[in-house]
Structure formats: structure tokens, C-alpha cells
Amino acid sequence: MDSAQVSDTGVVGGGPYLRETVRTALKILIVGHFAVGKTTYVGTLSEIRPLRTEERMTQAGATVDDLAGVRDKTTTTVAMDFGRLTLSDDLVLYLFGAPGQKRFTRLWNDLARGALGALILVDTARLQESFAVMDIVERQGLPYAVAVNRFDGSPEFPAEEVREALDLAPSTPLVTCDARERTSSTHALIALVDHLLALGQEAP
């Protein structure tokens, strides 16, 4: 079995096989509205070659998907993204990225099965598009954290204003990240894991 390696970020990662010491595997959803960076996020963090189900967007799809503000996007996830991240000797995370378009929400029932929580990516330029995603996550009964994905040109707001705009509960973690950068993406995921652990400790 391949041994895991510690990256320069302090995150344990390795080859295609799990370490023999791994005892706990957590399923985490990476969700968000269309073109918010979910595929990039999973690919940045995954220690294995991520599974992607991207298809090239066609002119016919332009009548279905709102491309306002995302003109450079040429592909879209049609099923899921999958990656794996080993956080410690005994803990591994399985990352499932869900498609953001409304027509794919039926897939969420399957993807959410067995998941312990969700990391919701948002873009400050399109915060209003996050409400539908948050509603789905809450209807699934999943605890979640919110990560503001920093896009070039997107407006910056104080965390308190973003929290108020999204009507987040005081206990819901709110962090920022750049889905292209491993360190900040890892910190966002750890914020979610810490939140899940705290909820588990509070459970009777």
C-alpha cells in the first residue's frame, strides 16, 4: 500500500490507496450555484486524480443556463466531481461536487445520502443565486459552512455584511478562500470539519 505524504501545506496526501491507519471516512458535499468554482475546488484539494463529469456547453444550453458574468465558462458539470483528501493518519474526506444548475437538483438526493455536511461556495457578485442552493442543503438536513470564493473583480464586503445578506445563523462558519489555491481551500474545508465535530460533541 502506498504511504501518504505530507505536503508543504501540512495536509497529509498520498497515492491512489488509503493508508492502513485510516479509520474514519467522511463524505462531504461541495456545493454552490452555477460557475462558482466547485470543480476547481475539488481538483485543487484532491490527492488523487479527480473524477469529473464535465461536458462542453453548447449554444442550446445557453437558453437554459444563465451565463451572465461567466462568459469565459465553456464546460459544466453534469453529474458530479469526486476527490479525496487525507487530513490525518486516521481521517480521510471524500469530496463530492454537485452540479449547480436547477435542472440537476434531482441528483442531490443521491449525492447527499450519507454526507455529514456541505461546504457552500458563494460569489459576492452573485450572492442572490446562493439562496436556492442553501435551501436545498437545509432541506436535506445537512449542516454546512459557507466559503466566499474570491473571484478577480468580485466586490469585497465585510464578513458581517455577507453573513447578514445570506441570513446565516451565528453558528454557521463563514470563511474566504481561493478555489485555485490549496492552502486557503484547505482552511475552508477544515472550518467545516471543525463545525461538524463541534456539532457531534453537542449531540446527546
Side-chain angles (χ1 to χ4, degrees):
M1 177 175 292
D2 290 354
S3 61
Q5 300 174 344
V6 179
S7 72
D8 55 5
T9 64
V11 177
V12 179
Y17 303 105
L18 288 176
R19 297 189 69 173
E20 294 178 350
T21 55
V22 170
R23 296 293 178 267
T24 304
L26 304 181
K27 180 180 181 182
I28 301 296
L29 295 187
I30 308 300
V31 300
H33 57 71
F34 175 61
V36 77
K38 301 178 294 295
T39 297
T40 299
Y41 186 91
V42 172
T44 295
L45 284 182
S46 182
E47 66 197 20
I48 60 175
R49 182 177 180 180
L51 169 66
R52 293 172 174 170
T53 57
E54 286 193 306
E55 295 292 341
R56 181 165 296 278
M57 300 179 67
T58 64
Q59 187 173 358
T63 63
V64 180
D65 299 323
D66 183 6
L67 300 181
V70 289
R71 295 178 181 177
D72 294 335
K73 188 170 180 59
T74 59
T75 62
T76 186
T77 299
V78 297
M80 68 175 185
D81 300 306
F82 173 77
R84 190 189 75 199
L85 178 63
T86 304
L87 283 186
S88 66
D89 288 342
D90 61 353
L91 175 62
V92 66
L93 303 182
Y94 291 119
L95 309 177
F96 287 80
Q101 297 96 314
K102 291 182 179 179
R103 67 181 185 277
F104 294 127
T105 53
R106 291 184 179 180
L107 294 173
W108 284 51
N109 290 329
D110 290 333
L111 292 178
R113 188 174 295 115
L116 292 187
L119 182 66
I120 302 177
L121 299 183
V122 302
D123 177 4
T124 55
R126 296 180 291 152
L127 283 180
Q128 71 282 358
E129 297 182 29
S130 301
F131 289 109
V133 174
M134 294 171 63
D135 181 61
I136 294 173
V137 171
E138 291 175 353
R139 283 193 279 112
Q140 293 288 346
L142 294 175
Y144 60 88
V146 175
V148 176
N149 189 15
R150 295 193 294 266
F151 283 89
D152 296 335
S154 288
E156 295 186 11
F157 301 106
E160 295 78 9
E161 292 186 16
V162 176
R163 182 177 292 277
E164 182 177 358
L166 294 176
D167 194 24
L168 299 181
S171 60
T172 300
L174 174 65
V175 296
T176 61
C177 74
D178 185 331
R180 300 165 296 184
E181 296 180 0
R182 186 176 181 86
T183 299
S184 68
S185 295
T186 300
H187 289 162
L189 197 59
I190 290 175
L192 170 62
V193 173
D194 286 344
H195 180 53
L196 296 177
L197 291 174
L199 291 176
Q201 292 170 357
E202 295 172 2

